[in-house]
Amino acid sequence: MVRKLGYQVDAVASGEEALQALQQQDYDLVLMDIQMPGMDGYQTTRAIRALHSPVRNREIPIIALTANAFPEDREACLAAGMNDFIAKPIQQQKLKPLLTQWLARSAQPNLER
């Protein structure tokens, strides 16, 4: 679906693989599945955001992907350090504006850095 929207995509199978990819290459955004083998999405996000994280960009926008759509699930994602949240099943008409919003934000220079 993300490719159909015109974006380049790399996919990984686990939180550990996500951390490795983020150490080796610059990305504009992460779509973070909450339920992954090994490190789940919460653990992976905390590792990305950690002060001494080895990733190239600790401030990368992270959007949670989860089947759990309750307000407390959204709050747990934000508390872990994710920037936004989309519930499964993911619909293109909801995903497209979310990607547009966060990719536009990540492209703007941050004068506070």
Side-chain angles (χ1 to χ4, degrees), residues 19 39 42-50 52-55 58:
L19 289 174
M39 294 175 72
Y42 298 113
Q43 294 167 319
T44 305
T45 298
R46 287 186 194 103
I48 292 167
R49 300 290 192 228
H52 298 292
S53 176
V55 302
R58 291 184 7 215

Side-chain angles (χ1 to χ4, degrees), residues 12 27 90 109-110:
V12 298
Y27 290 92
I90 298 168
N110 184 345

